[in-house]
């Protein structure tokens, strides 16, 4: 699970009033970096009074997280565990 916020831009207003949004947040640290990308369609009714929208309210949501360096490596599942999960029936 990820917790955070990403500022987005409205890239298109659909005929029914829904908004197509897209945004990206990049953070570069000495231990590595991370990028979070968000895109989707949101109804204007789902936008809070403070301008926020929960990701579960995005239709056709495309959310990606990529990382590099020590921070990303610490969160990666070891290859042996990954292979075991693929083969283990339970």
């Amino acid at each position: 699970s990820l917790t955070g916020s990403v500022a987005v831009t409205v890239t298109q207003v659909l005929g029914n009033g829904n908004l197509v949004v897209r945004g990206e947040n990049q953070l570069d640290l000495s231990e590595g970096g991370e990028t979070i990308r968000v895109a989707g369609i949101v109804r204007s009714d789902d936008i809070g009074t403070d301008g926020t929208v929960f990701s579960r309210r995005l239709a056709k949501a495309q959310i990606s997280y990529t990382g590099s360096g020590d921070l990303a490596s610490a969160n990666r599942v070891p290859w042996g565990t990954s292979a075991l999960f693929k083969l283990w029936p339970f």
Side-chain angles (χ1 to χ4, degrees), residues 51-87:
T52 60
V53 177
F54 290 106
S55 60
R56 66 177 177 263
R57 293 292 186 185
L58 282 176
K60 296 187 179 181
Q62 298 173 349
I63 303 170
S64 66
Y65 170 85
T66 56
S68 63
D70 293 338
L71 289 174
S73 297
N75 292 323
R76 202 168 286 137
V77 177
W79 69 268
T81 304
S82 178
L84 181 63
F85 286 153
K86 290 179 183 178
L87 300 173

Side-chain angles (χ1 to χ4, degrees), residues 6-89:
V6 177
V8 299
T9 303
V10 175
T11 59
Q12 183 180 1
V13 178
L14 301 177
N16 60 3
N18 290 348
L19 309 172
V20 179
V21 296
R22 180 174 305 274
E24 180 178 291
N25 188 9
Q26 293 182 346
L27 179 61
D28 292 319
L29 305 167
S30 59
E31 299 87 14
E34 60 183 30
T35 302
I36 301 172
R37 290 184 181 93
V38 176
I41 300 172
V42 65
R43 299 180 316 150
S44 57
D45 293 341
D46 290 333
I47 301 172
T49 55
D50 59 353
T52 60
V53 177
F54 290 106
S55 60
R56 66 177 177 263
R57 293 292 186 185
L58 282 176
K60 296 187 179 181
Q62 298 173 349
I63 303 170
S64 66
Y65 170 85
T66 56
S68 63
D70 293 338
L71 289 174
S73 297
N75 292 323
R76 202 168 286 137
V77 177
W79 69 268
T81 304
S82 178
L84 181 63
F85 286 153
K86 290 179 183 178
L87 300 173
W88 193 257

